[in-house]
Amino acid sequence: MKLITVKNYDEMSQKASSFILDLIQSKEKPVLGLATGSTPEGLYKYLIKAYEEGKASFQHVTTFNLDEYVGMERTDANSYYSFMQENFFKHVDISPSQTFLPNGKAVDLQAECKNYEELIANANQVDIQVLGVGLNGHIGFNEPGTSFSSRTHVVDLDESTRQANSRFFESLDEVPTQAITMGIETIMESKMILLLVSGEQKAEALVRLLEDNAITEDFPASILREHPNVIIIADEAASNHLSK
Ligand code: GLP
């Protein structure tokens, strides 16, 4: 894993965008793995800016999002589908038929998970997977205890994750209890992983990731140590507790 430390959230976002822009400018049919949450919002702003300035086109880009809430209409403002439309897709020239998220309203959720895996495999895997990390080390919605050999699956969300995500909802009761997420093995098959970490509240998770040697399912992000091509971009606030 390579750690790049930057000053603040804005620099983290800009730096992350440079990796994505390099990929889409050099590869004919790039495949991006995308994340939601507060962490990647700035990255999407920089990608939109590059598009508006005529420096990038997303016409030949395919995207796969990590996860989606179960039982939520795509049109719901809190769905990850809506998040991606509002924060990225509707502002650039990406083809809607090339943007994929799991369908949390699928009648047969198991079939939906299998189908999502097939779509990723048919796209020849993800070139760059953007990741954030949860306070408990979750990646995507792979909560502590998830098998490292998991593929796309339905998960019960941790209470701590529901609490953390309740800031986007009217109340905790409205936060879904389940989600579909790419599995850990699915994520690990991406050719490169770009992990973004910002803010003081993520500092302990970063220490655990970088300085605790254990690779354990109790802290899902720890598996990233086994991936050959991980770049972590962390801002000063998130890096403050690192020993060096
Ligand atoms: C969410 C998402 C993750 C995200 C994480 C951190 O629940 N499912 O993909 O990385 O939690 O979110 P944030 O970036 O808002 O801190």
Side-chain angles (χ1 to χ4, degrees):
M1 294 194 297
K2 181 179 173 205
L3 172 67
I4 301 175
T5 315
V6 294
K7 203 166 177 46
N8 53 32
Y9 179 82
D10 187 59
E11 274 187 25
M12 176 195 76
S13 306
Q14 188 165 21
K15 187 78 195 162
S17 75
S18 69
F19 283 97
I20 307 270
L21 292 171
D22 282 352
L23 172 78
I24 69 172
Q25 279 150 6
S26 63
K27 197 168 176 193
E28 212 178 317
K29 290 186 176 172
V31 182
L32 297 177
L34 299 178
T36 50
S38 307
T39 309
E41 278 179 23
L43 158 64
Y44 298 139
K45 287 206 174 85
Y46 274 104
L47 295 179
I48 294 165
K49 184 166 177 275
Y51 167 71
E52 286 171 347
E53 291 171 351
K55 293 177 185 154
S57 166
F58 295 87
Q59 252 173 341
H60 303 292
V61 175
T62 299
T63 65
F64 290 95
N65 265 78
L66 283 167
D67 43 21
E68 178 60 284
Y69 289 119
V70 164
M72 196 175 269
E73 294 291 349
R74 290 191 149 182
T75 48
D76 191 303
N78 276 311
S79 73
Y80 285 170
Y81 179 90
S82 294
F83 176 99
M84 291 310 300
Q85 298 304 323
E86 291 308 312
N87 287 283
F88 186 29
F89 297 151
K90 78 174 190 187
H91 305 283
V92 298
D93 61 346
I94 198 161
S95 156
S97 64
Q98 293 305 113
T99 61
F100 298 94
L101 286 96
N103 177 7
K105 281 293 271 187
V107 180
D108 184 341
L109 291 172
Q110 299 311 324
E112 174 62 16
C113 294
K114 194 164 168 277
N115 177 50
Y116 203 62
E117 284 285 330
E118 281 168 12
L119 288 169
I120 298 170
N122 290 341
N124 285 325
Q125 311 302 345
V126 167
D127 290 304
I128 297 184
Q129 174 67 58
V130 177
L131 280 187
V133 61
L135 299 175
N136 60 6
H138 75 232
I139 48 175
F141 266 135
N142 293 289
E143 300 284 20
T146 305
S147 165
F148 283 154
S149 57
S150 55
R151 313 292 312 187
T152 299
H153 63 293
V154 176
V155 289
D156 292 330
L157 298 177
D158 255 24
E159 273 319 293
S160 64
T161 299
R162 292 185 67 242
Q163 285 278 0
N165 288 8
S166 66
R167 67 190 193 276
F168 299 111
F169 294 79
E170 298 265 306
S171 70
L172 180 61
D173 288 351
E174 286 183 20
V175 185
T177 55
Q178 288 190 313
I180 295 181
T181 182
M182 267 189 212
I184 294 184
E185 200 168 76
T186 322
I187 292 170
M188 288 291 281
E189 283 170 0
S190 322
K191 294 169 195 162
M192 176 185 166
I193 290 175
L194 205 51
L195 175 69
L196 309 184
V197 195
S198 170
E200 165 77 31
Q201 77 281 12
K202 297 285 173 75
E204 279 315 310
L206 193 60
V207 168
R208 202 157 166 201
L209 179 61
L210 291 170
E211 295 180 355
D212 181 343
N213 286 323
I215 296 181
T216 162
E217 288 172 355
D218 291 340
F219 190 75
S222 62
I223 191 67
L224 298 177
R225 281 201 216 107
E226 292 201 338
H227 191 285
N229 194 7
V230 177
I231 294 187
I232 303 171
I233 311 178
D235 65 13
E236 272 176 16
S239 322
N240 257 341
H241 297 191
L242 294 173
S243 55
K244 43 189 177 325

